[in-house]
Amino acid sequence: MTDVPELRPKRVFIKTYGCQMNVYDSDRMADALAPHGYEPTLAMDDADLVVLNTCHIREKASEKVFSELGRLGQLRAEGRHFMIGVAGCVAQAEGEEIARRAKGRVDLVFGPQSYHRLPELIARAGRGEVVVETEFPEEDKFEHLPAARREVTVARGLTAFLTVQEGCDKFCSFCVVPYTRGAETSRPVEQVLAEARNLVDAGVRELTLLGQNVNAWHGLDSKGRTVGLGELCARLAELPGLARIRYTTSHPSDMTDELLEAHRDNPKLMPYLHLPVQSGSDAILKAMNRRHSRADYLRIIERIKAARPDMAMSGDFIVGFPGETDADFAETLSIVREVGYASAYTFKYSVRPGTPGATMSDQVPEAVKAERLAELNELISAGIRDFGRSVVGRTLDVLIEKPGRQPGQLGGRSPYLQAVHMAGPERLIGSVQQVEIVSARNNSIEGKIVTPAEPRTASFIESQVALA
Ligand code: 5AD
Ligand code: SF4
């Protein structure tokens, strides 16, 4: 990289909006800047460079950027000197528009495919140019993004995200992702393994593989074969220090046999799957261009549970998509009851310019959306409480992550991402323990450590399902 800023300590404040992929990207931006003398700061007031890593998925998320830019502009007007960058999906979608609307308040606007070029972009902005970089470059950014220093990874904790796939070819009619993140791309096996090895060497015990459509991942291995996500998880499971593998987020039509078999055969793959359905109504699924019916989705879940009986489900739901009637919404409520989600995310439909949904007739009034969202949330919360209670009496593997609030207490996560509290010594942090669950609260469960855990065998899983 040429023309990079001179080497003197500077501070960067990165504010992350939106999904886990943005969380990952923010860390990678910090990693890209570290060799150029930038240290992360948690205080915006302290920063030489402020980066807003933005989200475009719903209108509210996207509008936040402009209000934040207004606030930052005010600080600059008061005499504070710092550079302002806008990254992420709003930058990608509205690069020139941001530069125009936030004239004098923004120094650089750059999309997710340009993060490896950040030092060079800063240098250009430092010469007074307003930089807008939203092209999809030829080179693979992952080949150019430096790995985090070991101590930085250690400080980030025992669990880590690893983006393996970006973009989406599905074109659901409500969604901006295919436009902002572009076509589906998969990182090759060896590149993913190298990054995973670095993370695991620095003490990471749990990896969550990320992608907008992660189960569509198909990458080349070192022999030039194309392999699927199940095979990638098998290769990752060979890393001795790695205890757990997760992946998110998935599309129902990409739940291949190969991936189902991985859930059956790979004990490091957690029995918890985020599989959005969006709606329980066939008419709405069709209008959403989801390419699967309600029955298809339920059949997939049946097959997943046949492969891994202790699997718990998570999902995303949109209420108030154009044309959604009371009867359609009732179908969404009924699919929630039928599946029994361990967790779920719910959204009011948000009109996104440029997507087919935006020009559909029969837009649902805001008040109706709000009513439906409240009803759905109530049902889902009750389901989550039921799920919490259903693990009482079971013995779960818990990754011990941190000291608890009280002395002698530990905090960890169950395979189902539930927060678990238990008594135990701090030396257990970083290990996976078997914990007998004794009670459930609204947002956490409590248990007692019974024995150190080994990788689960099929017979252990069966015994747990019998108990559930
Ligand atoms: N309005 C509301 N929710 C949306 N999502 C995506 N686009 C929209 C939209 N226009 C939700 C979907 C998706 C999740 C990441 O965000 O449920 O699965
Ligand atoms: Fe958006 Fe997911 Fe549909 Fe792709 S599959 S268009 S990312 S909702």
Side-chain angles (χ1 to χ4, degrees):
M1 215 143 321
T2 55
D3 249 0
V4 294
E6 60 193 280
L7 275 176
R8 62 187 168 91
K10 292 191 174 184
R11 293 185 190 278
V12 54
F13 175 85
I14 306 180
K15 183 159 181 173
T16 309
Y17 301 84
C19 67
Q20 292 146 322
M21 295 191 64
N22 270 9
V23 174
Y24 173 86
D25 283 347
S26 290
D27 281 349
R28 297 309 302 267
M29 281 190 251
D31 299 341
L33 290 171
H36 299 279
Y38 280 86
E39 287 168 11
T41 172
L42 296 174
M44 191 187 269
D45 286 354
D46 198 27
D48 301 289
L49 168 66
V50 174
V51 177
L52 306 180
N53 189 7
T54 62
C55 171
H56 199 235
I57 198 99
R58 282 168 292 276
E59 190 182 357
K60 258 206 191 123
S62 164
E63 277 304 314
K64 275 188 197 150
V65 183
F66 290 100
S67 53
E68 192 64 43
L69 284 175
R71 222 163 62 83
L72 289 169
Q74 188 59 36
L75 283 176
R76 280 227 293 221
E78 287 163 12
R80 284 270 296 108
H81 289 289
F82 53 88
M83 200 178 265
I84 301 175
V86 181
C89 292
V90 181
Q92 184 64 48
E94 298 178 20
E96 295 291 348
E97 167 77 2
I98 296 171
R100 197 181 54 74
R101 246 176 99 176
K103 206 163 188 227
R105 278 177 287 144
V106 172
D107 305 293
L108 57 160
V109 183
F110 53 106
Q113 300 313 320
S114 305
Y115 293 165
H116 58 302
R117 297 172 58 190
L118 186 50
E120 175 197 328
L121 302 181
I122 292 170
R124 276 170 50 198
R127 292 193 292 267
E129 182 188 344
V130 176
V131 176
V132 179
E133 192 74 31
T134 52
E135 297 295 311
F136 283 68
E138 294 254 310
E139 73 271 12
D140 173 5
K141 72 173 166 193
F142 291 111
E143 292 287 348
H144 298 274
L145 278 166
R149 291 197 312 271
R150 191 172 185 280
E151 61 273 24
V152 171
T153 306
V154 171
R156 285 177 185 160
L158 295 163
T159 61
F161 295 135
L162 200 175
T163 292
V164 298
Q165 183 278 332
E166 288 190 291
C168 180
D169 295 342
K170 296 286 187 296
F171 290 91
C172 298
S173 57
F174 51 81
C175 187
V176 287
V177 166
Y179 311 96
T180 52
R181 291 270 178 164
E184 265 175 37
T185 56
S186 295
R187 295 178 67 184
V189 175
E190 290 306 321
Q191 204 188 62
V192 173
L193 288 177
E195 188 169 333
R197 256 183 236 116
N198 271 341
L199 293 167
V200 173
D201 284 349
V204 166
R205 307 284 344 259
E206 175 178 305
L207 275 181
T208 302
L209 309 180
L210 299 180
Q212 267 98 21
N213 220 322
V214 72
N215 61 339
W217 180 91
H218 55 285
L220 286 180
D221 72 2
S222 55
K223 299 191 188 85
R225 287 184 315 149
T226 299
V227 299
L229 191 65
E231 171 82 22
L232 181 67
C233 291
R235 296 291 308 276
L236 288 165
E238 288 167 11
L239 299 175
L242 185 62
R244 296 175 153 189
I245 305 167
R246 306 179 183 276
Y247 60 89
T248 195
T249 179
S250 296
H251 190 280
S253 41
D254 291 315
M255 285 311 297
T256 59
D257 289 348
E258 188 243 4
L259 195 48
L260 295 186
E261 283 158 19
H263 277 290
R264 184 192 63 200
D265 300 335
N266 187 343
K268 291 189 181 181
L269 203 45
M270 288 296 97
Y272 177 83
L273 182 64
H274 183 69
L275 195 65
V277 66
Q278 315 294 359
S279 167
S281 150
D282 277 335
I284 297 299
L285 288 172
K286 191 151 190 281
M288 286 177 164
N289 191 32
R290 285 289 293 177
R291 306 155 191 246
H292 63 79
S293 65
R294 173 190 175 105
D296 293 336
Y297 179 79
L298 292 172
R299 212 170 306 122
I300 291 160
I301 293 188
E302 220 171 82
R303 291 178 57 224
I304 295 166
K305 292 205 167 170
R308 182 78 204 228
D310 57 346
M311 181 72 78
M313 300 303 302
S314 162
D316 289 344
F317 295 89
I318 296 176
V319 298
F321 186 78
E324 186 185 71
T325 62
D326 285 342
D328 291 318
F329 176 60
E331 294 275 287
T332 295
L333 295 175
S334 92
I335 205 168
V336 168
R337 284 191 202 96
E338 198 163 339
V339 172
Y341 288 91
S343 130
Y345 301 89
T346 56
F347 310 100
K348 282 192 284 187
Y349 172 65
S350 167
V351 175
R352 306 311 288 129
T355 61
T359 50
M360 285 180 186
S361 52
D362 298 333
Q363 297 284 334
V364 174
E366 272 306 308
V368 176
K369 288 185 201 172
E371 241 169 63
R372 289 181 185 165
L373 185 70
E375 194 174 347
L376 179 61
N377 281 345
E378 206 171 297
L379 180 65
I380 282 175
S381 301
I384 295 171
R385 280 196 297 274
D386 286 348
F387 181 76
R389 280 195 288 268
S390 79
V391 299
V392 174
R394 282 177 67 184
T395 299
L396 300 179
D397 285 357
V398 173
L399 174 61
I400 314 287
E401 288 180 339
K402 54 184 185 208
R405 273 199 212 116
Q406 275 122 41
Q409 281 266 314
L410 297 172
R413 293 264 164 197
S414 78
Y416 309 119
L417 282 179
Q418 296 154 297
V420 188
H421 303 295
M422 70 236 107
E426 284 196 15
R427 67 180 156 76
L428 295 183
I429 292 171
S431 70
V432 177
Q433 301 289 325
Q434 284 181 26
V435 175
E436 191 185 317
I437 307 304
V438 294
S439 65
R441 298 177 180 209
N442 276 354
N443 297 313
S444 65
I445 54 178
E446 281 176 40
K448 56 175 192 275
I449 296 173
V450 284
T451 47
E454 295 300 328
R456 299 277 59 86
T457 60
S459 63
F460 178 87
I461 293 164
E462 267 164 33
S463 72
Q464 291 306 298
V465 172
L467 271 175

